[in-house]
Amino acid sequence: MTEVLAAPGTDAGAVPPPGADETGAPQVEVMGVRHHGPGSARAVVAALDRLRPDVILVEGPADADPLAALGDHPGLVPPVALLAYETGSPSVAAFWPFAVFSPEWQALVWAAAHDVPVRFCDLPTSAVLGGPGPDTAEAETPLGDETSQEPAPSEIPAPSEVPSAPEGADLSETSAAGVRRDPIAALAAAAGYTDPERWWDDVVEARRDAPTPFPVLTEAMAELRAAAAPLPDDEQQREDRREAFMRQTLRATLKGGARRVAVVCGAWHAPALDGKLPPAATDVRTLRGLPRRATSVTWVPWTSSRLARASGYGAGITSPGWYHHLFVSDDDVVARWLVKVARVLREQDLPVSSAHVIEAVRLADALASMRGRPVAGLEEVTEATRAVLCDGDDTLLGLVTGRLVVGEILGEVPDSVPTVPLAADLRTVSRRLRLPQEALERTVELDLRKPNDLARSRLLHRLTLLGVGWGTPAASRTRSTGTFRETWSVQWRPELSVSLVEASLWGTTILAAATARAVDTAVHGTLPQITALVEQCLLADLPDALAPLLDQLDVRAAHDEDILHLAGALPPLVRAERYTDVRGTDTAGLARVADALLVRLCAMLPAAVTNLDDDAARDLRTALDAVHEAVVLRDVDGAGRALWLRSLLVVADRSEGPHPVSGVLGGRATRLLRDVGHLTPAESAVRLGRSLSVGTPAPTKAAWIEGFFDGGGLLLVNDPELLGLLDAWITDLTEDAFVDVLPLLRRTFGTFAAPERRAVGDAARRRTGSTPAVPTTFRALDLDEAQVGPAIATVALILGAP
C-alpha cells in the first residue's frame, strides 16, 4: 500500500482541467481524510490549491454554516469545537472538535482566505441530538467514523457507528468484524505492518512531497466497506441517513450552479460520495422521519489534551502535540522537536546540552533507518528522548509526554461568536479581573484585602454555586492561616462551556444567576444545606439572596426536630458572622438567626440526649463540640454563652438517675465545662471519681472516660489528680473488666498525638513509688486530712510505699 499511494496515477497532472471533466460535467473531488491528521490536512490544502473549487463541502453539522465563515477570524484560535445543545435542555449537547492540523479546519481556513463559499454537509444538530442515545456526545471518530474508542467515565460518547462484535467473533484485522472495527488495521495488515498507527504515519502523516492520496484511499475504503461486517439495524439507519444527507447536500450544491466542488469528509464515507450518485429518491426516503430538536450552535474553546485518545474522545489521537508539530514544521522535524524537548527539561534545571540534542537526533534517525521507515516517527523520537535526554528516567519522559506529546493548549473564541449571555458576562468579568481561562491547572493565592483578589474570590464562589467548577479551594502554599487569604486551583475545561449554558436559565449575568440559583436551592433544601448555602452566599457576596435564605432558615429551624440538624446549622452561621469582616459583607441578619437557633438547640438538648446508645452519642458529641467552639468564640460574656453552659451542666448532671445520658456525653459535657472554667479542676475531679465509683459497669466508666479525655491528652499530664484517679481505677480493674474496657480505652488514647501519649506515659511513670492517688480524692471531697492521714499512712506502709 505504501507503493500504491505513491503511484503516478494519483498525480495532480492526471486531473482534467478545472471546472469540468472530459465530458464537460461538473467536477467533484472527494477528499477522504482522517480527522485530526496533519498529513491529511496538508493534502487537503494542496488539493484545494490545485482544484480552486467554487464551493467546499465539509463534514459537520449542516446548521452550523453561519459559523463556518469565521474560519479566518483572528480571534478564533484552535483547538476549538462546535458546541450544539438543545435549546430547552442544555445538558443534551454534542461537540465537534477542530485542531489546527484537522483537515476540516484547514478547509474552512482556505475557504475564508480565498473567499470561497463553504458549507457543512452532515446531519444537522437537530437530528443528531434528536436521535436515540446518550445526552452528551463528541461527534467524531478518527477516520470518518470507522474507529471508536472507549470513553472516559466522565464522558458520554456519541452513538457509535462501530458495533460491538459478538462474543467469539473473529476480530483479526482481515476478518469482516475486524475490518468494521478498525479499517486502518486492515490496510496496515495488507501492507505487511503490525502497527496500524505506524503504517498510517508512514504513508500519510510523514509524507510531504507525495501526491494527494485521496483517490487511492477512496478505492481502498470501497473495498473495505464491501468486506466489512454488517451493522445492527439502528446503527445502519444512522449511517445511511448521514450519507444520504451528504449526497443531498452535494446535489443541491451542483444544482445551484457550482462547477468545481471539493468534499472533505471522513475516508470511510468517501466511496458513498464519489462517482455517480444514486437516484435522489432513495435518499429522500432514507431521510424521511428524521428526529428533530430545537438546538443552538456556537464555537467554544477546546484543549489539545481533550484531543488525545486517553481523554476518551472518540476521534482522539495519542499525540496531538506531536501532530501539531508535524503540521507546522516545514523541515528538520525531528531536530526541531528534540530542541523543544531539551527546552522543557532545562526548565526543570536539568543539564541538557546541544550535544545531547545532536546525539538524540542521530539515534532517532538510525532507529528509523533500521526499521525501514521513511523518517523517524514519534516512537523513534521517544526512544531517543528516553535514552539520551532523560537518561532512561521514565518520570522525566512522562513530563515530556505531558508537556509536548499531548500538550495543553486552550483555544480562543472571539467575542463576536454568538453565545449565551452568561458566557459573555463571564468572559468580560474574567478579563477585567485578569483571571484568564487556561487549560493548565494552576494555583491562585488571593489576598482578600486587595480589591481585585476579593473580586476574583467572589467570582469563583459564584461560579461554584452555579455548578461551573472553574476553581476548587486548595491548600495554601504559605504558612499564613489568616481569614484574609484564599487559595484556589483553577483550570478551564471544555465541558464547562456546557455548564455555563445549563446555568444560563438562572440569569444573564453571573451575579444574577448565582442569586437566583441560591434562592431556588434554599426553597427545597434541608436545614444544614440552607446553612451551608448562607455561608456560600456571604463568600460570593450575594446580598439579594441573603434575606430569602435567612427567612427559609427561620422556617426550617422552627420545624426541624432533629438536633443534629440544628447543631450542624449553628457553626457555619457563626463562622460567617465572625469571619466575613474582611470581605465587607453585611452580616447583621445572621445574629438574629444564630440566637434563635441557639435557644432552640438548648431547649431540645436535655430531651435529645436521653436513651442514646454510645454510637449515637458519639455523633452528637462531635456536633456539640462544634457548637461549643462556635458559642465560646462568638459570645464571650453574653447571655447566649450562659444559656449554653447551663444546658451542658444539665447533661453533665444526668449521669445518674432514672434517665441517665450516655457516659460519652456526660464526660464530654464535664470536660467542656472544665475547659471554660465553669467547673473547677477539683469539681471535675469529683465528677470523675463518681463516674469511676464502685457499682458502675466498667463499659459505662470507659465511655465516660472516652467523652472526657478524647482529644485532650495534655490534661492528664498537667492535672496529677485526674491522672491519679484514672490510674487507680485501671489498677483496680479485674481481668475480665479490663478486657471489656480495653478497646474503648485504646480508642480514647489512640486519638492523642504521639508526643501527648509519650508525655502521659512519662507522667504515669513518675507516679511509681509516690503516694497513691486516693488522698487527693479525699482532699477534693473536703475530708479532714488530719483524721484520715494516719490510716492512709498505715495502708501505705503495708503496701511498701514510702
Side-chain angles (χ1 to χ4, degrees), residues 114-136:
H114 293 82
D115 198 23
V116 173
V118 61
R119 297 176 59 188
F120 288 116
C121 60
D122 205 347
L123 287 175
T125 61
S126 58
V128 173
L129 298 182
D135 287 342
T136 303

Side-chain angles (χ1 to χ4, degrees), residues 45 270 454 477 569 571 666-667 673:
V45 174
L454 178 59
R477 293 176 296 184
L673 292 168

Side-chain angles (χ1 to χ4, degrees), residues 44 204 238 276 729:
V44 164
V204 178
R238 178 174 179 268
K276 185 177 180 180
W729 171 65

Side-chain angles (χ1 to χ4, degrees), residues 553-578:
L553 197 59
D554 269 341
V555 174
R556 293 292 193 280
H559 293 86
D560 201 318
E561 297 180 356
D562 190 332
I563 193 169
L564 287 177
H565 282 179
L566 293 174
L570 186 61
L573 283 181
V574 173
R575 281 197 307 269
E577 180 186 5
R578 181 176 177 83

Side-chain angles (χ1 to χ4, degrees), residues 251-561:
R251 292 188 184 100
T253 302
L254 295 174
K255 188 176 180 180
R259 304 294 295 170
R260 298 184 302 277
V261 180
V263 182
V264 181
C265 65
W268 185 257
H269 299 299
L273 304 176
D274 190 50
K276 185 177 180 180
L277 301 180
T282 302
D283 290 337
V284 171
R285 286 194 300 269
T286 301
L287 294 173
R288 191 171 297 152
L290 273 180
R292 298 291 179 183
R293 282 183 179 175
T295 61
S296 301
V297 189
T298 185
W299 287 110
V300 295
W302 202 250
T303 62
S304 56
S305 65
R306 289 295 295 275
L307 295 169
R309 181 172 297 163
S311 74
Y313 166 47
I317 50 177
T318 56
S319 48
W322 170 254
Y323 271 17
H324 182 274
H325 176 76
L326 285 180
F327 184 75
V328 300
S329 299
D330 295 328
D331 55 8
D332 296 329
V333 174
V334 174
R336 292 177 185 275
W337 176 262
L338 290 171
V339 167
K340 293 180 180 180
V341 173
R343 183 182 302 117
V344 169
L345 295 176
R346 286 171 186 151
E347 290 174 354
Q348 305 301 314
D349 296 327
L350 296 173
V352 179
S353 65
S354 300
H356 286 91
V357 176
I358 294 172
E359 185 62 27
V361 172
R362 290 174 177 170
L363 178 57
D365 290 340
L367 289 172
S369 178
M370 292 173 59
R371 295 168 179 174
R373 306 194 65 178
V375 295
L378 179 60
E379 183 177 353
E380 288 74 28
V381 171
T382 300
E383 292 181 17
T385 299
R386 177 191 286 111
V388 179
L389 302 182
C390 298
D391 292 328
D393 190 335
D394 285 336
T395 301
L396 294 179
L397 185 64
L399 174 67
V400 172
T401 300
R403 293 281 186 88
L404 289 181
V405 178
V406 175
E408 194 57 84
I409 304 173
L410 179 67
E412 299 179 13
V413 174
D415 294 342
S416 58
V417 169
T419 185
V420 293
L422 195 66
D425 182 60
L426 176 60
R427 186 184 303 164
T428 301
V429 174
S430 60
R431 287 177 180 173
R432 186 179 72 245
L433 300 179
R434 299 186 297 279
L435 190 63
Q437 297 176 359
E438 297 175 334
L440 283 174
E441 184 177 4
R442 66 187 182 99
T443 300
V444 179
E445 299 277 355
L446 301 179
D447 185 342
L448 303 183
R449 297 170 296 184
K450 300 178 180 179
N452 193 67
D453 282 2
L454 178 59
R456 287 178 173 182
S457 171
R458 289 170 173 168
L459 173 63
L460 293 174
H461 280 294
R462 290 169 183 173
L463 291 174
T464 301
L465 273 170
L466 288 171
V468 182
W470 183 9
T472 54
S476 176
R477 293 176 296 184
T478 66
R479 295 182 178 272
S480 173
T481 58
T483 59
F484 59 87
R485 287 195 179 277
E486 273 187 358
T487 304
W488 291 81
S489 176
V490 295
Q491 181 184 27
W492 187 263
R493 302 180 303 279
E495 58 267 25
L496 296 181
S497 299
V498 178
S499 300
L500 277 174
V501 175
E502 292 177 328
S504 64
L505 63 92
W506 300 107
T508 58
T509 66
I510 300 296
L511 175 60
T515 299
R517 175 70 182 275
V519 173
D520 182 79
T521 304
V523 172
H524 307 287
T526 63
L527 181 60
Q529 290 173 339
I530 297 175
T531 308
L533 195 58
V534 168
E535 190 173 17
Q536 286 181 290
C537 287
L538 290 170
L539 296 175
D541 189 26
L542 303 178
D544 293 340
L546 194 56
L549 260 63
L550 293 179
D551 291 341
Q552 288 291 335
L553 197 59
D554 269 341
V555 174
R556 293 292 193 280
H559 293 86
D560 201 318
E561 297 180 356

